[in-house]
Structures are given as structure tokens and as C-alpha cells.
Amino acid sequence: MPILEFQNVSKVYGNTTKALTNVSFSVNEGEFVSIIGPSGSGKSTILRCINRLVDTTQGSIIFDGHDINNANKKEIRQVRKKTGMIFQHYNLVDRLSVIENVLHGRLGYKSTLSGAIGRYTEQEKEQAFQILAKLGLTEQAYKRCDELSGGQKQRVGIARSLMQEPRLILCDEPIASLDPSSSKIIMDYLSTINKNMKITCICNLHQVDVAMRYAKRIIGITSGQIVYDGPPEELTKSKIYDIYQSNEGGLITDVR
């Protein structure tokens, strides 16, 4: 059974702007899927519909067997506990330390009071340090996040997501703000997490060659509609042109 299904999902902003039109696809547990497409194509809207940061206009989204479009506030909270989110601009609290930001991944499991005063168990703290060690961030644990490089900040974002013990990780352009070296480190970590921890990963990318290198499946979207859904080895130059309606300069490399 798929962990995620989109069934004829559409999203219209302000009654005029069509972000998604009849989008349908499913994702099996353990898959690594990359969504590619030009800016404004609807990639980010897809991710935000999954965790209900954005409400759909029509259609159904089934996550872990439940229609999240009909979920109440308590059920949405459960969905967000199971879906980690990694943002392009990190979305960290810069004035707080690395370890404090990582522990924020447990807020979905806390009461409002416990979360507000930062009450975490020793087991949760130990788990946070174990995750930091896996991501090579042990020495940065007590640094403020505004002292970190972009690549380090994104690793903190990944660590915070893992603290949720998610079934699904959503990555919205996670390397768009990073240099090539840091980008490779981040993508390698995401790939390792997917393979070793069996966590499903959906990753929005603007770099076609990176998507082809890491994903087992690529979904191409343009103007809010899916125009390609298949393995990277079948993503030809002509199909990339269908997605981008141009060659997008240096974005299209290492293709057949």
C-alpha cells in the first residue's frame, strides 16, 4: 500500500491563480522521489498540501491510510508529527543553540506548556546527540545557529526532522542556497537516511542532474500539471524540455 496518494488534487490561490490542476500520483514507503520543474510550477505547493500548510481546492490526499483533507486539528497534528519538513532557508531559530533547535523536533509530542518551557526527557536529549553525531555536528551542539555555515544549518534542519521519528521527509529545495560541495553533503545524507532508515523522501529540486543522480523516481511538473513520472534513466532531453519549456542553461546536464 502506498504511504501517500494524490487523487485529482487541484489548488487555486485567490480564485484566479491555478497552482495545481488534477494532480495524481502515489508514493510507496521507502521511495526516494524528486519533483522537478521551473519556478512557480507547483512543486512547493505539493509539499505544503501534504502537511496541510496549504489546503487543497479539490481532490484527496491520502497519507498513511487517512484522508488528510478531512482531518481535524488533532489529526493534522498527528500528520505533521509523521512528516518532517526541510526548508530551503533552514527555518531555524538562529538565537538558539544547535541542540535546542534539534530538540524542537519533539514539540509535536509535547503539551503546550512543556514545549513552551523546553522540557525534554533525558532520553530525548540523548537521542538528539546521537542524531547530531550521525550528521557530523557534535562539536557544534552548543553553538548558536547564526554562527553556522549554510550547509551546517541544513544538517541541523535534517537532525530536527529526524527527531520527529517521521514516516516521510519533505524537502523543499534543500540545496538551493548551498554551494556544490555543501549540496553534495546534504544530498548524500538524505540518500543515506532514505536507504538505511527506510524513511520515504520527497525532494523538490531545481537541479535536474542532482535529481537524476539521487532519486529512483522523478516527477516533472509544469504549470501545475505532471508531465513526467518515471525513472531517471528515461528522462531524456526532450522530456526535460517538455517540463521546463527551455534548456534552462546549465541545469540540464548528464542526460541522454
Side-chain angles (χ1 to χ4, degrees), residues 199-220:
I199 298 174
T200 309
C201 184
I202 302 177
C203 188
N204 285 352
L205 290 168
H206 199 51
Q207 302 88 340
V208 176
D209 54 338
V210 175
M212 294 181 71
R213 188 175 305 123
Y214 287 92
K216 300 300 181 185
R217 174 182 166 201
I218 293 176
I219 295 174

Side-chain angles (χ1 to χ4, degrees), residues 30-33 86 135 158 169 171 174 183-201 203 210-211 213-216:
E31 274 197 286
F32 192 120
V33 179
I86 297 169
L135 290 164
I158 294 172
I169 291 180
C171 310
S183 296
K184 183 180 185 305
I185 291 171
I186 294 301
M187 293 306 300
D188 284 347
Y189 275 120
L190 291 174
S191 180
T192 298
I193 288 164
N194 170 252
K195 291 174 182 176
N196 295 348
M197 302 179 71
K198 310 301 182 185
I199 298 174
T200 309
C201 184
C203 188
V210 175
R213 188 175 305 123
Y214 287 92
K216 300 300 181 185

Side-chain angles (χ1 to χ4, degrees), residues 7-256:
Q7 300 174 349
N8 299 311
V9 172
S10 296
K11 173 61 182 177
V12 179
Y13 290 105
N15 297 321
T16 56
T17 304
K18 292 183 178 181
L20 300 174
T21 304
N22 294 324
V23 170
S24 296
F25 65 91
S26 62
V27 177
N28 291 325
E29 191 155 15
E31 274 197 286
F32 192 120
V33 179
S34 282
I35 303 177
I36 63 172
S39 298
S41 61
K43 301 191 301 296
S44 293
T45 298
I46 286 176
L47 296 195
R48 282 162 168 73
C49 285
I50 294 170
N51 59 14
R52 285 289 299 272
L53 292 176
V54 168
D55 291 331
T56 61
T57 303
Q58 68 178 42
S60 298
I61 300 176
I62 311 300
F63 173 67
D64 200 22
H66 302 283
D67 187 344
I68 64 174
N69 285 348
N70 295 322
N72 58 35
K73 288 184 178 181
K74 183 179 179 180
E75 291 167 337
I76 291 172
R77 183 180 172 93
Q78 293 300 315
V79 168
R80 290 175 178 166
K81 281 167 58 175
K82 297 179 182 179
T83 53
M85 186 82 179
I86 297 169
F87 300 86
Q88 175 181 343
H89 298 295
Y90 323 123
N91 205 35
L92 303 175
V93 182
D94 281 340
R95 62 181 176 80
L96 297 182
S97 68
V98 167
I99 190 66
E100 288 173 304
N101 272 275
V102 172
L103 285 166
H104 281 178
R106 300 302 296 175
L107 289 179
Y109 296 85
K110 302 290 181 183
S111 67
T112 302
L113 177 59
S114 293
I117 64 177
R119 181 183 293 163
Y120 300 101
T121 67
E122 289 303 313
Q123 183 179 0
E124 287 171 331
K125 294 174 185 177
E126 182 178 341
Q127 181 184 5
F129 277 105
Q130 289 173 349
I131 292 172
L132 287 177
K134 290 179 180 179
L135 290 164
L137 290 169
T138 301
E139 294 183 1
Q140 280 74 40
Y142 294 106
K143 286 185 178 179
R144 283 172 51 123
C145 280
D146 56 11
E147 298 176 13
L148 305 180
S149 68
Q152 289 172 327
K153 287 182 178 181
Q154 197 58 289
R155 278 186 277 161
V156 175
I158 294 172
R160 178 185 58 194
S161 178
L162 291 177
M163 279 296 293
Q164 296 177 225
E165 300 179 350
R167 298 280 307 283
L168 172 67
I169 291 180
L170 308 173
C171 310
D172 194 11
E173 301 277 7
I175 60 173
S177 302
L178 304 179
D179 60 67
S181 177
S182 297
S183 296
K184 183 180 185 305
I185 291 171
I186 294 301
M187 293 306 300
D188 284 347
Y189 275 120
L190 291 174
S191 180
T192 298
I193 288 164
N194 170 252
K195 291 174 182 176
N196 295 348
M197 302 179 71
K198 310 301 182 185
I199 298 174
T200 309
C201 184
I202 302 177
C203 188
N204 285 352
L205 290 168
H206 199 51
Q207 302 88 340
V208 176
D209 54 338
V210 175
M212 294 181 71
R213 188 175 305 123
Y214 287 92
K216 300 300 181 185
R217 174 182 166 201
I218 293 176
I219 295 174
I221 184 169
T222 188
S223 300
Q225 295 180 295
I226 292 177
V227 295
Y228 179 81
D229 186 351
E233 56 268 20
E234 295 180 13
L235 186 63
T236 62
K237 285 186 178 180
S238 63
K239 290 176 180 177
I240 292 172
Y241 187 89
D242 289 341
I243 297 168
Y244 288 92
Q245 298 299 305
S246 74
N247 287 330
E248 288 283 311
L251 291 175
I252 299 175
T253 60
D254 299 334
V255 296
R256 296 154 185 79

